[in-house]
Amino acid sequence: MHIPDNYLSPSACAVMGAVMIPVWAVAVKKVKDELLKAKMPLLGVGAAFSFLIMMFNVPLPGGTTGHAVGGTLLAILLGPYAACISITVALLIQALLFGDGGILAFGANCFNMAFVLPFVGYFIYKFIKDRVASEKGEYAGIVLGSYFGINVAALCAAIEFGVQPLLFKNAAGIPLYSPYPLWVSIPAMTIPHLLVAGVIEVIFTVAIVTFVKKVSPGTIYEGAKKKTKAIYGLLVALIVLSPLGLLATGTAWGEWGTDEIKDVASGGRALGYVPEGMKHGFNFKAMMPDYAVNGLPEMAGYILSAVAGVAVLIIVFKIISSFKKNKAGSSLG
């Protein structure tokens, strides 16, 4: 679901970035005003969870790959505004260090994964939980919230891809950026997410929420015990298991490079060309592209990337929390 650079026009990227500015402003204000200083480092832990979950690629119908995001998970644990900030920073680190998601497309990726996903997922979760006052109601909310959250986000990404060839063409009518119209992009994105990626999102969300409720209920419920050692232990376990994401072969839909896209088949026919906007577009060189490290085996590079990403995220939020003053706070949910 990470949109690379040059799939969206610069003007589309600017619009999506502009849309996110007020969202970030409100989220930062909410976190600053309402989240206790003691909980601020948990935003880094949440960002690390999302970062690692996105490294577990799974095969999708059509020969592509996809992944969960953990957006509803973070919204349940931290509140949707804090989840927005955590996922935003995770996406930024992915783009800058690992080339996963575009720099110009950063606003669009944040709109889909840091805004739409956690807020839709959390709204559904709360709606069900507040009306079915039982543990079954809570878990029904978790399941439906996480499933529909990621699928609505995938639909948004599909629309962003699909409007490009309708709006941006050269004089010959050939798309300049994403070449796949809505009737191609929407089923290509939504069907695999409905069938597979949404289920993976549910599994991660239910499993981690259940784990956190058991070992560190204070992370969710005020006044209960908060044991962060077990949570950090889970992060370590996810890092060790992260190479499982290498087992899924193929490129995620809409993330092909210029060396691949002309050979991608749609409707039984290869595209046959590289859109001009992609061929001559913005090109950013990440430090560890595709979570690989020169000179290291693929698995070792993947684990090292996981360690680096988690460390950076936790350190960033530790630094941010050091500037926050102690004050009374309340849930951001």
Side-chain angles (χ1 to χ4, degrees):
M1 202 189 302
H2 291 71
I3 301 175
D5 280 326
N6 307 318
Y7 271 80
L8 307 184
S9 72
S11 57
C13 291
V15 168
M16 298 306 297
V19 169
M20 281 305 298
I21 288 174
V23 175
W24 287 322
V26 172
V28 168
K29 188 176 188 305
K30 282 279 189 179
V31 169
K32 181 180 178 182
D33 292 345
E34 300 179 19
L35 194 66
L36 294 170
K37 180 176 181 177
K39 278 199 169 186
M40 283 292 290
L42 289 178
L43 271 69
V45 175
F49 270 127
S50 181
F51 174 83
L52 290 171
I53 287 171
M54 287 189 271
M55 293 185 72
F56 284 84
N57 296 308
V58 295
L60 297 180
T64 63
T65 62
H67 55 74
V69 177
T72 303
L73 166 67
L74 267 61
I76 292 169
L77 297 179
L78 304 171
Y81 294 100
C84 178
I85 298 301
S86 288
I87 298 172
T88 292
V89 178
L91 292 172
L92 181 62
I93 296 303
Q94 285 180 321
L96 291 176
L97 293 186
F98 307 105
D100 197 2
I103 302 299
L104 298 182
F106 178 66
N109 286 323
C110 287
F111 179 82
N112 302 330
M113 289 183 275
F115 174 54
V116 171
L117 197 168
F119 279 90
V120 169
Y122 188 76
F123 174 81
I124 294 172
Y125 160 75
K126 281 286 287 181
F127 183 85
I128 297 173
K129 179 176 178 289
D130 291 347
R131 284 158 181 78
V132 184
S134 67
E135 188 174 43
K136 289 183 178 178
E138 181 179 8
Y139 275 97
I142 293 171
V143 170
L144 293 176
S146 55
Y147 181 78
F148 283 103
I150 193 169
N151 276 290
V152 174
L155 175 61
C156 289
I159 293 171
E160 291 153 15
F161 280 123
V163 299
Q164 301 305 305
L166 301 178
L167 299 177
F168 306 101
K169 304 175 182 179
N170 63 16
I174 298 175
L176 293 172
Y177 303 99
S178 172
Y180 302 107
L182 291 167
W183 53 89
V184 173
S185 65
I186 289 179
M189 283 290 292
T190 58
I191 292 174
H193 279 81
L194 287 167
L195 294 178
V196 180
V199 176
I200 301 300
E201 183 85 1
V202 169
I203 292 171
F204 268 114
T205 304
V206 171
I208 295 179
V209 168
T210 302
F211 177 83
V212 172
K213 283 176 66 176
K214 182 176 181 179
V215 304
S216 183
T219 303
I220 305 175
Y221 308 114
E222 295 293 338
K225 289 185 178 180
K226 184 169 64 177
K227 300 178 181 179
T228 56
K229 285 185 178 180
I231 294 177
Y232 282 108
L234 179 58
L235 285 177
V236 172
L238 289 174
I239 289 172
V240 173
L241 294 173
S242 64
L244 291 174
L246 293 170
L247 297 178
T249 58
T251 304
W253 196 92
E255 297 185 26
W256 301 287
T258 54
D259 58 333
E260 300 174 285
I261 193 166
K262 68 178 181 180
D263 298 318
V264 175
S266 178
R269 187 174 64 181
L271 183 63
Y273 68 95
V274 179
E276 288 298 313
M278 293 186 184
K279 190 184 299 183
H280 305 296
F282 179 76
N283 186 25
F284 174 78
K285 298 292 184 183
M287 292 175 58
M288 303 165 72
D290 299 322
Y291 305 98
V293 179
N294 286 334
L296 287 182
E298 190 176 34
M299 183 180 296
Y302 212 68
I303 292 176
L304 183 59
S305 296
V307 171
V310 168
V312 169
L313 289 166
I314 290 176
I315 290 170
V316 165
F317 280 101
K318 285 274 190 182
I319 293 172
I320 293 172
S321 67
S322 69
F323 292 102
K324 181 175 173 60
K325 297 179 181 179
N326 281 305
K327 60 191 297 184
S330 60
S331 172
L332 289 172

